[in-house]
């Protein structure tokens, strides 16, 4: 897991949300293989969204959020 960037991206977004961790626990308890696949896919989508070229997205809010985050909980370190 230490080398799995996709999974790490998902876990970083949860931060201190205890209800999200509880949902992950329940998902893993029900179907471990499926949840692992789902989490990796979610992480890939997050990393793709973060690494996309600024301005490449088209939408009303795209220009406002085009820059990568620099805050304490941003995915900039990923």
């Amino acid at each position: 897991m230490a080398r799995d960037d996709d999974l790490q991206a998902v876990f970083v977004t949860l931060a201190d949300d205890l209800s999200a961790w509880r949902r992950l626990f329940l998902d893993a308890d029900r179907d471990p293989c499926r949840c692992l696949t789902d989490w990796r896919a979610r992480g890939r989508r997050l990393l793709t969204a973060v690494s996309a070229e600024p301005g490449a997205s088209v939408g009303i809010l795209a220009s406002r959020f085009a820059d990568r985050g620099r805050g304490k909980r941003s995915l900039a370190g990923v």
Side-chain angles (χ1 to χ4, degrees), residues 11-23:
F11 296 146
V12 164
T13 60
L14 298 178
D16 297 326
D17 186 3
L18 295 179
S19 63
W21 285 106
R22 179 72 180 158
R23 283 191 303 274

Side-chain angles (χ1 to χ4, degrees), residues 12-68:
V12 164
T13 60
L14 298 178
D16 297 326
D17 186 3
L18 295 179
S19 63
W21 285 106
R22 179 72 180 158
R23 283 191 303 274
L24 289 182
F25 170 77
L26 292 174
D27 289 343
D29 191 44
R30 287 183 198 127
D31 192 356
C33 292
R34 180 174 177 230
C35 72
L36 191 59
T37 304
D38 291 347
W39 296 345
R40 282 191 176 129
R42 188 186 315 174
R44 269 191 298 278
R45 286 192 304 269
L46 285 168
L47 292 175
T48 301
V50 169
S51 64
E53 288 291 321
S57 302
V58 178
I60 297 170
L61 297 175
S63 62
R64 182 174 179 182
F65 299 106
D67 293 332
R68 289 183 75 167

